[in-house]
């Protein structure tokens, strides 16, 4: 607000003194304030719980074979260049190359509001074009799935109720051995919250988890 008040006072002074030479300075200052306003207006819409976090961006080829792999390559270049233009840092987490391009790839995009901007890209992206791989120049349709997820840190709290946990134990079978069928050889933990269910295996805890689409 201070900048807007200063600009208004500057305009009032130029009008009162009939200083037409100040018009270019006033326009330049107004354009800077307009840019700041647009940036603030966009950030106001990014009020989700994880919008300010970094993001994992995964792209997977769908139907279309070689065409789809080429389509994934095109999307990868597009998102990479967008990140460069907006001063976001990209780190290649995983890539699976295939004939004609890339079968699947995952990037970590670091920067303020990376997930907030990229979450809208989640979905199926379709490309219809005359195929450069088809000698008969036929039209092909290619599909690729894009999934954006926030980078979660150790501050995430997970509340698991004891009544939602089921513990199953298994014992080895077969004849012979002093302790056969007397000791548990496998354990499975199943977590079934009211809204959904999932199975988990005991593993080392990780400070960062990359969900898969």
């Amino acid at each position: 607000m201070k900048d807007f008040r200063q600009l208004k006072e500057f305009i009032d002074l130029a009008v009162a003194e009939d200083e037409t030479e100040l018009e270019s300075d006033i326009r330049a200052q107004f354009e800077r304030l307009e840019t700041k306003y647009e940036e603030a207006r966009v950030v106001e819409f990014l009020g989700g719980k994880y919008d300010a976090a970094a993001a994992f961006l995964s792209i997977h080829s769908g139907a279309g074979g070689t065409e789809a792999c080429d389509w994934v390559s095109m999307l990868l270049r597009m998102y990479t260049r967008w990140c460069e233009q907006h001063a976001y840092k990209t780190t290649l987490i995983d890539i699976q190359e295939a004939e004609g391009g890339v079968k699947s790839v995952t990037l970590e995009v670091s920067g303020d509001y990376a997930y907030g901007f990229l979450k809208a890209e989640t979905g199926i992206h379709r490309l219809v074009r005359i195929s450069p791989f088809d000698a008969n120049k036929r039209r092909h349709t290619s599909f690729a799935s894009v999934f954006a997820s926030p980078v979660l840190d150790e501050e995430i709290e997970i509340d698991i109720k004891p009544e939602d946990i089921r513990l199953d134990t298994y014992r080895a079978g077969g004849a012979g051995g002093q302790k056969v069928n007397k000791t548990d050889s496998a354990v499975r933990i199943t977590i079934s919250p009211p809204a959904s269910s999932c199975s988990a295996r005991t593993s080392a805890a990780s400070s960062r988890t990359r969900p898969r689409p």
Side-chain angles (χ1 to χ4, degrees):
M1 292 298 296
K2 179 180 178 181
D3 293 335
F4 282 100
R5 286 196 297 268
Q6 289 179 347
L7 177 59
K8 185 178 183 304
E9 292 173 0
F10 194 27
I11 293 174
D12 292 340
L13 178 62
V15 172
E17 299 293 335
D18 195 20
E19 294 287 349
T20 57
E21 296 85 358
L22 298 177
E23 181 179 354
S24 59
D25 294 335
I26 293 174
R27 288 185 179 274
Q29 189 172 351
F30 175 79
E31 290 174 359
R32 286 195 297 270
L33 291 177
E34 186 179 31
T35 300
K36 282 186 177 181
Y37 169 76
E38 289 297 329
E39 292 175 351
R41 191 172 67 90
V42 170
V43 170
E44 184 180 1
F45 288 104
L46 302 178
K49 185 175 181 180
Y50 303 113
D51 283 357
F56 288 115
L57 186 69
S58 299
I59 313 172
H60 300 273
S61 62
T66 302
E67 294 282 341
C69 292
D70 187 44
W71 177 218
V72 171
S73 299
M74 295 167 64
L75 289 172
L76 176 60
R77 290 195 300 270
M78 180 186 73
Y79 289 122
T80 301
R81 291 176 181 176
W82 180 86
C83 291
E84 291 174 353
Q85 293 172 358
H86 292 78
Y88 285 120
K89 177 185 176 182
T90 57
T91 303
L92 182 64
I93 301 298
D94 179 67
I95 186 169
Q96 182 179 354
E97 297 180 344
E99 181 182 359
V102 176
K103 187 173 181 62
S104 65
V105 61
T106 299
L107 298 174
E108 180 178 352
V109 182
S110 303
D112 294 338
Y113 294 96
Y115 174 67
F117 282 109
L118 290 172
K119 66 180 181 180
E121 297 299 314
T122 296
I124 304 299
H125 295 244
R126 184 178 67 171
L127 172 67
V128 180
R129 64 172 177 173
I130 302 299
S131 173
F133 302 99
D134 191 337
N136 296 319
K137 302 299 181 183
R138 290 173 295 189
R139 180 183 298 176
H140 287 252
T141 302
S142 306
F143 296 89
S145 65
V146 176
F147 182 77
S149 57
V151 175
L152 307 180
D153 54 30
E154 295 178 348
E155 296 180 359
I156 298 297
E157 294 184 1
I158 301 177
D159 184 16
I160 300 178
K161 298 180 180 179
E163 57 267 27
D164 295 332
I165 299 177
R166 188 179 77 247
L167 185 66
D168 298 314
T169 59
Y170 302 88
R171 294 180 178 179
Q178 181 180 1
K179 295 184 179 180
V180 67
N181 292 333
K182 293 183 180 180
T183 58
D184 297 329
S185 58
V187 179
R188 182 175 67 185
I189 300 174
T190 304
I191 303 173
S192 303
S196 62
S197 62
C198 62
S199 294
R201 295 179 181 178
T202 55
S203 61
S206 173
S207 62
R208 285 188 175 183
T209 302
R210 174 166 57 88
R212 291 185 176 272

